[in-house]
Amino acid sequence: MSRIARGAGAFGLAAVVSFAITAYGQGLWGPLVLANLRLSPAVPWAPPLMALLLAGLLLYLSGRGWPASTSTARRRLLRWNPMPLSTFALAVGSGLLALVAFAGLWIAVSDLVHIPPGVQPSAAGIPLATAIPILLMSSLAAPLSEEAAFRGYAMGLLEKAWGSAPAAIVGSSLLFAAAHFPQGLDAAKLGLYFTAGLLFAAIAYLTNSLYAAMVVHGLGDVIGFTLLWPHDQQAHAMGFGDALFAPALAAIAIFAPLAILAFRRLARASKALRDPRAERPLSPAPVAA
């Protein structure tokens, strides 16, 4: 088999595996939320049920369950590796700087090129005691399942098959963007998701762990739920006619350079974590002394 065919086969396998994981994590949460809101909106039963389902998914992906022959491979692909607390804090801080710049980029793009609004359930008429747990779980379900799917399994499979971390980062980010086509089959919007995928993948690669990437992804979803997606759904003026356009440009100009400097520092601080000779046991805790 040619090298190109093997590479394409690895990309296909990564797509199937990552989409299956995402379909479980995201595909179950959507119907659960709708059922909760239609059947008993005053009782937030969907979030705890989804928490149990996610726990089962992550236990399996971390090597538990059948078949035992794939247990070690599943543990490695999940990339739940510990890191020093200082590195974890630096990774999350770097991601936050990048998120501010990314939020500015999203708003700027939506003010220059019309992008279709995403699918977001309306919170109108939902009791606060139900809305808050649903929002929190919505900000957890995607980071946990999507990081495991794309920055864990897909990126790991591609890096092993292609022998190139940058190529694996790009490949997994393409898959991440493709998985968001239900939010709008639009080149500009999928390009934004691809950019977000690069951000999360860079954190996962530099730290050789999903913990910081999951936190940053979750914070990004909070920004999406509260600012970016509502902005897309509401009619607004384009360009400088939108009150958020100038602040968005300022956010890009200020926070993008700061994020680049922070990521350069993170790359230096986490160099030992990426050493293939440093075999470290997996731990359920995100940080280790």
Side-chain angles (χ1 to χ4, degrees):
M1 184 183 295
S2 69
R3 184 176 180 180
I4 294 178
R6 289 196 299 271
F11 187 77
L13 175 61
V16 170
V17 172
S18 59
F19 289 170
I21 295 172
T22 305
Y24 178 98
Q26 295 288 79
L28 291 177
W29 176 233
L32 283 176
V33 171
L34 292 177
N36 194 160
L37 297 181
R38 290 179 180 178
L39 299 178
S40 52
V43 181
W45 53 264
L49 177 56
M50 189 63 202
L52 291 175
L53 294 172
L54 282 175
L57 172 67
L58 294 174
L59 283 173
Y60 180 78
L61 295 179
S62 66
R64 303 292 182 87
W66 181 89
S69 59
T70 65
S71 178
T72 300
R74 281 182 278 139
R75 285 199 303 270
R76 291 185 182 279
L77 287 172
L78 188 58
R79 211 187 290 257
W80 270 16
N81 298 320
M83 72 183 80
L85 179 59
S86 58
T87 304
F88 178 79
L90 179 58
V92 173
S94 301
L96 282 173
L97 292 173
L99 280 179
V100 176
F102 177 76
L105 176 64
W106 185 294
I107 291 176
V109 170
S110 69
D111 281 343
L112 294 174
V113 181
H114 176 74
I115 59 177
V119 179
Q120 186 175 0
S122 173
I126 302 175
L128 189 62
T130 300
I132 291 178
I134 287 179
L135 175 62
L136 291 176
M137 179 51 65
S138 297
S139 300
L140 287 175
L144 290 174
S145 59
E146 290 179 355
E147 290 307 309
F150 298 105
R151 265 63 69 176
Y153 274 62
M155 198 162 82
L157 290 170
L158 294 177
E159 189 173 359
K160 181 179 179 181
W162 294 352
S164 169
I169 288 173
V170 171
S172 63
S173 298
L174 286 172
L175 293 174
F176 177 70
H180 287 82
F181 80 90
Q183 295 295 326
L185 194 56
D186 176 83
K189 191 164 192 178
L190 293 179
L192 289 169
Y193 279 112
F194 173 74
T195 303
L198 292 177
L199 165 60
F200 303 143
I203 296 173
Y205 168 71
L206 290 176
T207 60
N208 192 27
S209 174
L210 295 187
Y211 289 120
M214 285 179 171
V215 172
V216 174
H217 190 156
L219 294 172
D221 280 356
V222 171
I223 295 174
F225 283 121
T226 58
L227 175 64
L228 304 182
W229 302 326
H231 176 266
D232 293 345
Q233 291 177 326
Q234 298 172 359
H236 60 272
M238 303 295 280
F240 284 101
D242 181 12
L244 292 179
F245 186 66
L249 295 180
I252 297 171
I254 296 171
F255 286 93
L258 292 176
I260 291 172
L261 292 175
F263 270 92
R264 291 181 63 181
R265 182 179 175 187
L266 175 62
R268 293 192 297 269
S270 61
K271 183 177 180 180
L273 300 176
R274 301 188 300 277
D275 188 346
R277 296 170 298 179
E279 291 293 333
R280 294 170 293 116
L282 292 171
S283 167
V287 295

